[in-house]
Amino acid sequence: MAPTIGEGTLVCKTAEIEGDVSIGKDCIIHPTANIIAKDGPIVIGDSCIIEEQVKIINEGRDATMTIGSFNVFEMGSQFYGPKVGDSNVLEAKSYAGPSVEIGDACRIGASLQLKATETLTSGVVVYGKDTRRVDQKALAAKGAASENLTLQLNALKKILPKFHSMKS
């Protein structure tokens, strides 16, 4: 099944997208990103950035994996859970397992691994070697792109096509 790609979304040719995948508008999918719907569909919202070597894989459940809008999956991060809200950042090489749900405006620190069953409530930052948590709800901006994300999306839309072949 061919993926559904929204208007203004750029997908590099070397990105791997398999199965029933729907990607919203104005997203950036970098080279070597993997979005694989093995056992259920994947729906990704608008204005997301999915960087190199990211793995977003829906396997082991016959249900839709939902990823909201304005999310950034940094290089090498992995997500296998059922849901990601809006305005989140999974930093480089972070891992969220099949039983992890992420609310809105959360951040998972670089190289951290969340393997246990849990739901990160909106505004939580997970950081440090002991996966400490802090609530940043006062800073949360659900459903809106930050100025930095907007600048990054616009820059990538200009730069990526100059150096990579695009699927869309």
Side-chain angles (χ1 to χ4, degrees):
M1 170 176 272
T4 303
I5 308 294
E7 182 181 337
T9 289
L10 293 180
V11 180
C12 291
K13 276 193 177 180
T14 56
E16 181 181 359
I17 303 175
E18 294 180 7
D20 186 1
V21 176
S22 175
I23 301 172
K25 64 182 179 122
D26 297 321
C27 294
I28 303 288
I29 313 297
H30 282 253
T32 69
N34 297 275
I35 304 170
I36 302 170
K38 284 186 177 180
D39 299 325
I42 298 174
V43 176
I44 298 173
D46 299 334
S47 302
C48 291
I49 298 175
I50 300 173
E51 295 183 356
E52 295 91 341
Q53 300 173 8
V54 166
K55 292 183 181 186
I56 298 173
I57 301 175
N58 189 2
E59 65 181 338
R61 73 178 148 276
D62 187 22
T64 300
M65 174 191 283
T66 305
I67 296 173
S69 298
F70 311 112
N71 291 300
V72 178
F73 291 80
E74 292 183 355
M75 189 172 132
S77 62
Q78 299 180 49
F79 182 75
Y80 296 87
K83 181 179 182 288
V84 174
D86 295 330
S87 306
N88 297 287
V89 177
L90 278 75
E91 292 184 6
K93 298 188 178 182
S94 62
Y95 172 90
S99 299
V100 176
E101 290 191 35
I102 300 173
D104 299 317
C106 295
R107 179 178 288 266
I108 300 174
S111 298
L112 293 181
Q113 297 197 3
L114 302 179
K115 296 180 180 179
T117 299
E118 70 176 302
T119 298
L120 294 181
T121 58
S122 294
V124 169
V125 176
V126 183
Y127 67 100
K129 67 179 183 174
D130 299 323
T131 61
R132 292 177 291 232
R133 277 112 165 111
V134 65
D135 188 343
Q136 64 163 6
K137 282 186 184 140
L139 305 175
K142 179 191 177 317
S146 70
E147 183 178 346
N148 288 340
L149 178 61
T150 301
L151 290 171
Q152 188 176 6
L153 282 165
N154 290 335
L156 287 169
K157 283 185 178 189
K158 292 176 186 173
I159 294 169
L160 274 178
K162 291 180 181 179
F163 298 99
H164 297 281
S165 298
M166 297 288 122
K167 287 184 184 180
S168 61

